[in-house]
Amino acid sequence: MERKTLKDIAKDLNLSISTVSKSLSDSYEISDATKKLVQDYAKKHNYVPNKVARNLKTGKTNTIGVIVFNISNTFISQVLNGIHIASHEQKYDIIIMQSRDDIEQERNAIEVLRMRGIDGLLISPVAHNSNVELLRDLQQAGIPVVLFDRVQHPLQTHKVGTDNQAAAYEATKHLLDQGRKHILHITAKNIGITEERLNGFKKCLMDHNLPFDPKLYLECDYGKHNEIENSIKNHIQSMREKHIPIDAILGATDDITTLSLGVLATLGIACPEEIAVIGFSNIHIPNSLNPALSTVVQPTVEMGKIGVEKLLQLIHAKYPVEEFENIKLKSHIIARKST
Amino acid sequence: MERKTLKDIAKDLNLSISTVSKSLSDSYEISDATKKLVQDYAKKHNYVPNKVARNLKTGKTNTIGVIVFNISNTFISQVLNGIHIASHEQKYDIIIMQSRDDIEQERNAIEVLRMRGIDGLLISPVAHNSNVELLRDLQQAGIPVVLFDRVQHPLQTHKVGTDNQAAAYEATKHLLDQGRKHILHITAKNIGITEERLNGFKKCLMDHNLPFDPKLYLECDYGKHNEIENSIKNHIQSMREKHIPIDAILGATDDITTLSLGVLATLGIACPEEIAVIGFSNIHIPNSLNPALSTVVQPTVEMGKIGVEKLLQLIHAKYPVEEFENIKLKSHIIARKST
DNA sequence: TTGTACGCGTTATCAG
DNA sequence: CTGATAACGCGTACAA
């Protein structure tokens, strides 16, 4: 059962290719009789239009590229879900690439996508100004780019992130309200968003007349889980040995926050009695954690959907867009047992 | 900065299109001088070949389609990771679609992918024989299909799964070895793999001269997390009320297993003292769970890689393949604190 | 060694 | 209302 083309149908029906084409696109210039004839015949032989050819003709691919650091990260996979839903709704396909938090791989991903042909790009960049020129090239070539999640990046375009500073501020305040005084803030190196979170943390301390103590601050390399786990463990152990007081942890990312719980359990430190934990996390099983985790939840699916929406706006824009939006979604805190 | 085509370069350099084309593909029929001239010029103006046109010409899309039930499922996202790595290595792009465990959406996904043009399909089907005819059509049309994970499906093709029966057998044995006698097996409805797991469970019981008790068996609808959570909770509560003994849980899927922990915590049932828990789970933070979870770990990334490998074999096969492999990967148990 | 011409499957324009 | 014809950008047999 080979694939039928317009040409085949035309021959079978003794019609011209263009008549067939027009019939299938329900053109007003074709008589109802012929339309019906063609459409029925096409359905019967389950004709499928060749999108590749169509794309060649129209110059559009109906595909948007997506670059993230890691597909299987909890947070990212939820955003991808949102991207997926929204783009599918608009009849756009998506091609996902991973940068693995490596500038070179990000560069490669951008090049591959460009080569392959996409109508637009949705990216959560590796670092503050990773591959700026390349992305600008893309824009110049008429392929719009929208940034999401990690929006601390100089590229001029729409950006969809969360209000990280406010969220961190709120989480810190939550801990302080519970009477915690020595909060260890654990964050990741070289990711723009964590800087904002740090700022929110500092600001909240300041507003409560508390000093920011560098000893109560840890930056992890953001890589494998057991590396993160180890640096957290080492840090906490060393604090204990030096008798530096600590009664709470504020985690800046999903992995950091959830892994912290494991570290405390392993070290036999009671949570929340000795050390409370709260942090950014969109984990789907908060109640199965030890203990049920208090989280700063980000609107991941919404972020993905809005990203697609903004990108499509740019793709469909008739004139070059000059004014860009910097959208900051609201996170919210859910207090469970860990605080 | 518009996009250059072969034609543009040819005009700029006063050469014919084919000369330029051949130069760029490093053809032996072109003089080194011209080649260099063209290549340098192309690089300078960063010429990017239009893959769409190339695909139209060659009839290949260099894309493989992937259909899974949910991108953001822990297990699936790890398999996707493997698929991603392997396909990227082979210069293939992937397009991911979600069936959301709905036969209609699966049908739609298959049709969209076919329409869009793919060279092959990797699918974890919704149910025992969902969309068989459609998939056969695909194969007939020269687009090979490979099944992964849920391989209990009549389609004749390569299949890559895990040895579910053996894994469930081992996990059950592990519980029995620990002295547990009343094991509740919780599984999902209508998924082929869970049947095999159930069989492994039953077989192990039988081998130990224990009866299979339907009261110690629960089938959940496999949907939203809180629905699964509720049915588990209700079942356990009802068992307690009826004084049906239970001292262990064997979870058949990632979500079921991890959510069970949350249910026990919520109900205030001590794990593992009162009820031990083990189950299929590739959760990345086993130590953060309450308590550290004993798991049956599947080789997810490997499964993805092998799936791609097998699919590419079919895509590149010169002659129709008649003999298909049914690959069963080995899982392994990691005992932590929950058993 | 280089160039010409055609076809891949579609859509769009224009003529009949 | 229908049909012929020209593109879209690339690869390739064939001619020069």
Side-chain angles (χ1 to χ4, degrees):
Chain A
M1 194 224 287
E2 277 308 302
R3 205 168 174 176
K4 289 252 177 203
T5 69
L6 285 187
K7 197 200 268 181
D8 297 332
I9 300 184
K11 196 163 50 180
D12 296 354
L13 260 44
N14 276 318
L15 289 171
S16 78
I17 297 185
S18 38
T19 304
V20 176
S21 170
K22 284 172 186 166
S23 301
L24 290 174
S25 56
D26 219 27
S27 164
Y28 63 95
E29 5 175 21
I30 303 291
S31 74
D32 289 348
T34 348
K35 264 195 222 171
K36 183 150 173 32
L37 177 72
V38 174
Q39 288 171 359
D40 287 354
Y41 188 85
K43 196 165 298 167
K44 188 171 158 199
H45 293 264
N46 53 54
Y47 161 77
V48 182
N50 184 327
K51 249 197 178 179
V52 177
R54 175 184 290 161
N55 291 341
L56 176 60
K57 181 65 189 174
T58 60
K60 288 285 168 189
T61 60
N62 263 273
T63 303
I64 66 188
V66 182
I67 301 180
V68 296
F69 61 92
N70 184 355
I71 297 183
S72 43
N73 176 79
T74 317
F75 172 83
I76 289 296
S77 70
Q78 289 177 27
V79 180
L80 284 178
N81 203 355
I83 292 177
H84 205 273
I85 294 169
S87 56
H88 190 234
E89 217 163 61
Q90 306 289 329
K91 307 287 180 201
Y92 271 75
D93 295 331
I94 62 183
I95 295 188
I96 303 168
M97 301 259 129
Q98 303 190 74
S99 62
R100 302 208 171 272
D101 271 326
D102 175 299
I103 294 197
E104 268 317 302
Q105 291 199 50
E106 181 176 87
R107 157 180 223 93
N108 177 255
I110 297 172
E111 280 169 349
V112 167
L113 286 177
R114 176 170 191 177
M115 173 110 78
R116 149 135 215 147
I118 51 174
D119 294 348
L121 175 66
L122 220 39
I123 180 173
S124 173
V126 166
H128 296 73
N129 47 4
S130 54
N131 296 300
V132 210
E133 338 70 36
L134 213 56
L135 291 171
R136 289 220 184 92
D137 276 7
L138 258 195
Q139 293 180 310
Q140 297 278 328
I143 301 175
V145 179
V146 165
L147 303 181
F148 69 94
D149 181 30
R150 303 180 179 176
V151 295
Q152 277 54 51
H153 193 278
L155 198 73
Q156 292 279 331
T157 186
H158 290 323
K159 301 176 183 180
V160 190
T162 45
D163 191 340
N164 289 298
Q165 178 164 339
Y169 189 101
E170 242 193 291
T172 311
K173 185 159 183 317
H174 173 78
L175 288 172
L176 295 176
D177 288 349
Q178 309 263 323
R180 308 287 169 167
K181 300 223 172 329
H182 308 282
I183 306 170
L184 169 63
H185 181 43
I186 309 180
T187 184
K189 269 182 194 148
N190 288 325
I191 310 185
I193 45 171
T194 58
E195 274 183 22
E196 292 191 347
R197 292 173 189 176
L198 174 59
N199 286 338
F201 173 64
K202 283 181 176 171
K203 185 157 186 308
C204 186
L205 290 183
M206 208 184 315
D207 287 357
H208 289 74
N209 297 314
L210 290 168
F212 169 72
D213 180 352
K215 291 193 295 298
L216 285 171
Y217 176 68
L218 170 63
E219 261 186 4
C220 304
D221 280 321
Y222 209 56
K224 308 220 165 191
H225 290 141
N226 52 357
E227 287 172 17
I228 299 177
E229 206 164 357
N230 279 334
S231 48
I232 297 177
K233 189 190 287 181
N234 292 338
H235 193 84
I236 293 183
Q237 275 181 321
S238 124
M239 287 181 71
R240 289 250 152 167
E241 284 163 13
K242 294 180 191 157
H243 301 291
I244 301 170
I246 161 179
D247 56 15
I249 292 177
L250 172 65
T253 75
D254 221 303
D255 287 337
I256 288 174
T257 308
T258 51
L259 287 169
S260 295
L261 288 183
V263 170
L264 293 183
T266 308
L267 293 179
I269 299 175
C271 173
E273 293 78 6
E274 291 186 70
I275 299 183
V277 174
I278 193 172
F280 289 78
S281 172
N282 280 66
I283 186 92
H284 56 298
I285 44 167
N287 291 320
S288 301
L289 298 178
N290 181 16
L293 181 64
S294 299
T295 53
V296 178
V297 178
Q298 298 182 68
T300 45
V301 176
E302 200 190 347
M303 185 185 292
K305 287 183 177 172
I306 295 180
V308 171
E309 185 190 314
K310 286 298 151 192
L311 183 59
L312 289 182
Q313 267 178 22
L314 293 180
I315 291 177
H316 296 139
K318 307 249 175 186
Y319 308 102
V321 178
E322 303 286 342
E323 299 255 320
F324 294 112
E325 297 178 52
N326 191 352
I327 299 171
K328 296 202 172 192
L329 304 175
K330 289 282 289 176
S331 313
H332 66 280
I333 287 185
I334 299 184
R336 297 194 182 84
K337 298 204 170 159
S338 67
T339 55
Chain B
M1 195 225 286
E2 276 308 303
R3 203 167 179 179
K4 289 251 177 204
T5 70
L6 284 188
K7 195 200 267 179
D8 297 332
I9 301 185
K11 195 163 51 182
D12 295 354
L13 259 42
N14 275 319
L15 289 171
S16 79
I17 296 184
S18 51
T19 305
V20 176
S21 169
K22 286 172 184 167
S23 301
L24 289 175
S25 55
D26 219 25
S27 163
Y28 63 96
E29 10 176 13
I30 302 291
S31 74
D32 289 347
T34 342
K35 263 193 221 170
K36 184 154 173 32
L37 177 71
V38 175
Q39 288 171 0
D40 287 354
Y41 188 85
K43 197 164 299 169
K44 188 171 157 198
H45 293 265
N46 55 53
Y47 162 76
V48 181
N50 183 327
K51 250 196 177 180
V52 177
R54 176 184 289 162
N55 291 342
L56 177 59
K57 180 66 191 172
T58 61
K60 288 286 167 190
T61 59
N62 263 273
T63 303
I64 67 189
V66 182
I67 302 181
V68 296
F69 61 92
N70 184 355
I71 298 183
S72 43
N73 176 78
T74 318
F75 172 82
I76 289 296
S77 71
Q78 288 178 28
V79 180
L80 284 178
N81 203 355
I83 292 176
H84 205 274
I85 294 170
S87 57
H88 190 234
E89 219 163 58
Q90 307 288 330
K91 308 287 180 200
Y92 272 75
D93 296 330
I94 63 183
I95 295 188
I96 303 167
M97 302 258 129
Q98 303 190 73
S99 62
R100 302 206 172 275
D101 271 326
D102 176 299
I103 294 196
E104 268 317 303
Q105 291 198 50
E106 181 176 89
R107 156 178 223 95
N108 177 256
I110 297 172
E111 279 168 351
V112 167
L113 285 177
R114 173 168 196 181
M115 172 110 77
R116 140 128 225 155
I118 51 175
D119 294 346
L121 175 65
L122 220 39
I123 180 172
S124 173
V126 166
H128 296 73
N129 47 4
S130 52
N131 294 299
V132 210
E133 335 71 35
L134 213 54
L135 291 171
R136 289 219 183 92
D137 276 6
L138 258 195
Q139 293 181 310
Q140 298 277 331
I143 302 174
V145 179
V146 165
L147 303 181
F148 69 95
D149 181 30
R150 302 179 180 177
V151 296
Q152 277 53 53
H153 193 277
L155 199 72
Q156 292 279 331
T157 186
H158 290 323
K159 302 177 182 179
V160 190
T162 46
D163 191 341
N164 289 298
Q165 179 164 340
Y169 189 101
E170 243 193 290
T172 311
K173 185 163 184 313
H174 173 79
L175 288 172
L176 295 176
D177 287 349
Q178 309 262 324
R180 307 287 169 167
K181 302 223 173 325
H182 308 282
I183 307 171
L184 169 63
H185 181 43
I186 309 180
T187 186
K189 268 183 192 146
N190 287 327
I191 311 186
I193 46 172
T194 57
E195 275 184 22
E196 292 192 347
R197 293 173 188 175
L198 174 59
N199 287 338
F201 172 66
K202 283 180 176 170
K203 184 158 189 306
C204 186
L205 289 183
M206 208 185 312
D207 287 356
H208 288 74
N209 297 314
L210 290 168
F212 168 73
D213 181 352
K215 289 193 295 298
L216 285 170
Y217 176 68
L218 171 63
E219 260 185 6
C220 304
D221 280 320
Y222 209 55
K224 308 222 167 188
H225 290 142
N226 53 358
E227 287 172 16
I228 299 178
E229 205 164 359
N230 279 335
S231 47
I232 297 177
K233 189 189 287 179
N234 293 337
H235 193 85
I236 293 183
Q237 275 181 321
S238 124
M239 287 182 72
R240 290 250 153 168
E241 283 163 15
K242 295 178 191 158
H243 301 290
I244 301 170
I246 162 179
D247 56 16
I249 292 177
L250 172 65
T253 76
D254 221 303
D255 286 338
I256 288 175
T257 308
T258 50
L259 288 169
S260 295
L261 288 183
V263 170
L264 293 184
T266 309
L267 294 180
I269 299 175
C271 174
E273 293 77 7
E274 292 185 72
I275 297 183
V277 174
I278 193 171
F280 288 78
S281 173
N282 280 65
I283 185 95
H284 57 298
I285 45 168
N287 291 318
S288 301
L289 297 178
N290 182 15
L293 181 64
S294 299
T295 53
V296 178
V297 178
Q298 298 183 71
T300 45
V301 176
E302 201 190 345
M303 185 186 292
K305 287 183 178 173
I306 295 180
V308 171
E309 186 189 312
K310 288 296 151 196
L311 183 59
L312 290 182
Q313 268 179 21
L314 294 180
I315 291 177
H316 296 139
K318 307 251 175 184
Y319 309 101
V321 178
E322 301 288 341
E323 299 256 318
F324 294 112
E325 298 178 51
N326 191 352
I327 299 171
K328 295 204 172 190
L329 304 175
K330 290 280 289 175
S331 313
H332 66 280
I333 287 185
I334 300 184
R336 296 195 183 82
K337 299 203 169 159
S338 66
T339 56

